Amino acid sequence: MSDMDAHNMEMVGMETNTEPRSGVLYIVATPIGNLEDMTFRAVRILGEVAVIAAEDTRHSRKLLTHFGISTPLTSCFAHNEMQKREQLVERLLKGDDIALISDAGTPAICDPGSMLVQLCVEKGVRVVPVPGASAVIAGLSAAGLPTDMFTFVGFVPAKKSERVAFLQRWGTLEHTLVAYEAPHRLLASLEDISTHLGEKRELVVARELTKVHEELFRGEAAQAHAYFSTQRVKGEIVLLLRAQPKPEVRESVEETLLRLLKAGDQSLRQVSKEVALIHPISGSEAYSRALELQREPKD
Ligand code: SAM
């Protein structure tokens, strides 16, 4: 076989193996208030795709018109995402590029989109993020709380009993907690935070980010409650809690050891481990101090 034949065979082989290129799903972030936060890339991609799947087509049409984008829109919102994703993936598999947008911020973050993305991943459709604004990150970045680690928990539950359980579960983390909150429930949440996590719990209420009435309230839970009680709370809110302060150690190592040993429900090794969590000593050091204590004659 000549080199040329081999080359031709390779070409033929390539052609027969080539499946039609499937389209790309772009997850495009849009502004959370300030239109200047739209990225150049978002504008270009929204203008280039075959169709834009939007949470609310009427709402998004205004944004697109502002940027001179006339790409056709189709709806994809919380209650039709499961059926709609099948149609969208079918189009993607036929080769159409599609962009997904939500009413504001990053799609799929407390917004429709994650089920569509999951189906794309299952079917081998490429998913490309086009990042931009997201309230959770905007709030966190300006709050002034530690950002090296944080937990985002979506919306604070509306029902009181669920909210209290939620605060008890998430309010004791050792890093920053970030949540979305509705303006008409802010006071109730601040009250529950004061009651269940302490009046002095430090928090940030990041309201109307990037908009004209942007406000970042930083203070303690009771202060926040007093401040927001004097007004009708309006706008969109990200609520952030500073990590629960570690309880002050008032006991000496010996006192903690004696207290835990007296309780009698843990082995010496377990007690030593717990002491090492509370005091700045190692577990083995705590263990030998516990042995010493046990050897000491009791009066
Ligand atoms: N996917 C969006 C994102 O990435 O920002 C979040 C959508 S979620 C349905 C909407 C919630 O985000 C609002 O109820 C509010 O808690 C928060 N939010 C959105 N825009 C905001 C803003 N400009 N300032 C403060 N919070 C905002």
Side-chain angles (χ1 to χ4, degrees), residues 173-191:
L173 297 178
E174 290 182 2
H175 53 256
T176 303
L177 184 75
V178 191
Y180 287 159
E181 181 54 294
H184 58 282
R185 287 197 291 268
L186 179 68
L187 278 178
S189 287
L190 292 174
E191 197 177 313

Side-chain angles (χ1 to χ4, degrees), residues 29-34 55 102-112 132-139 152 154-155 179-183 205-211 214-215 235-239:
T30 57
I32 55 169
N34 190 326
E55 190 181 1
S102 61
D103 287 352
T106 303
I109 306 300
C110 276
D111 266 340
S134 185
V136 49
I137 298 300
F152 172 60
F155 278 94
Y180 287 159
E181 181 54 294
V205 178
R207 204 174 62 81
E208 293 288 87
L209 294 169
T210 77
K211 303 186 201 177
E214 178 178 275
E215 177 184 36
E236 298 190 282
I237 292 167
V238 183
L239 179 62

Side-chain angles (χ1 to χ4, degrees), residues 19-38:
E19 288 179 14
R21 170 198 167 274
S22 88
V24 174
L25 175 70
Y26 294 97
I27 308 298
V28 182
T30 57
I32 55 169
N34 190 326
L35 290 182
E36 287 183 33
D37 292 336
M38 187 80 165

